[in-house]
Amino acid sequence: MKDDDADKLLEKITSDPHRELSREDIIPLLFSPLMSGDTGQTERILKCIQILKNAEIDFPKADIQKMEAILYVFAVKFLDDNDLKSIKEAIAMTKLGQMIWDDAIEKGREEGERIGEKNASERYSRLILILNKEHKNDLILKIATDPEYREALYKEYGI
């Protein structure tokens, strides 16, 4: 791979913007960070990400995501933190970036629901304990069946 020139490969692929890309075109691109050339690895990876974005009409979404993941692995392996920031920005605008974002949102939502359920359960338990301490057991049955009344008691007791 070191004997191959990444710059020539990138020039060949980008010289005709209307050219339909094949797997034979794309696969060597994925290894451009391992090739020689005048441009740095960061610039090569960024160009490859852009080419993949443009190739989304030629390849299935899943294939593009796998290719982006390969480039991301090379970026993490070879680039420093400053260069990774530019790659991160480019990846964020890709299908892979969207998947990562969607996963993070979903995990955050799940965590929020879990915390919300825990807080609701603790809130409910506190109200039951207060009512029991005040010997208002009849109200415990009422809050179990009447959410509006339960909310009113939450407010009344500052829970």
Side-chain angles (χ1 to χ4, degrees), residues 7 16-17 27 35 38 60-61 64-66 69 74 77 79-80 83 88 102 114 117 137 139-140:
D7 297 327
D16 181 5
I27 299 303
M35 297 176 185
D38 293 329
K61 178 181 175 180
I64 294 290
Q65 291 167 347
K66 289 174 189 173
F74 281 133
K77 174 87 174 144
L79 304 180
D80 63 27
D83 291 333
K88 176 185 162 193
D102 292 346
R114 188 184 64 73
E117 288 170 5
N137 294 334
L139 294 183
I140 292 173

Side-chain angles (χ1 to χ4, degrees), residues 34-94:
L34 302 174
M35 297 176 185
S36 64
D38 293 329
T39 57
Q41 289 174 318
T42 304
E43 187 177 338
R44 284 185 236 161
I45 292 171
L46 288 171
K47 284 182 180 180
C48 290
I49 290 169
Q50 186 59 49
I51 290 168
L52 288 177
K53 281 166 102 172
N54 294 337
E56 289 176 350
I57 58 172
D58 298 325
F59 294 95
K61 178 181 175 180
D63 289 355
I64 294 290
Q65 291 167 347
K66 289 174 189 173
M67 292 179 221
E68 290 169 347
I70 291 169
L71 289 173
Y72 184 71
V73 167
F74 281 133
V76 169
K77 174 87 174 144
F78 295 118
L79 304 180
D80 63 27
D81 288 344
N82 288 333
D83 291 333
L84 275 175
K85 286 180 185 176
S86 60
I87 300 298
K88 176 185 162 193
E89 291 170 10
I91 288 282
M93 303 305 293
T94 66

Side-chain angles (χ1 to χ4, degrees), residues 107-117:
K107 285 180 183 172
R109 188 174 291 125
E110 288 170 3
E111 181 68 13
E113 288 173 3
R114 188 184 64 73
I115 289 170
E117 288 170 5

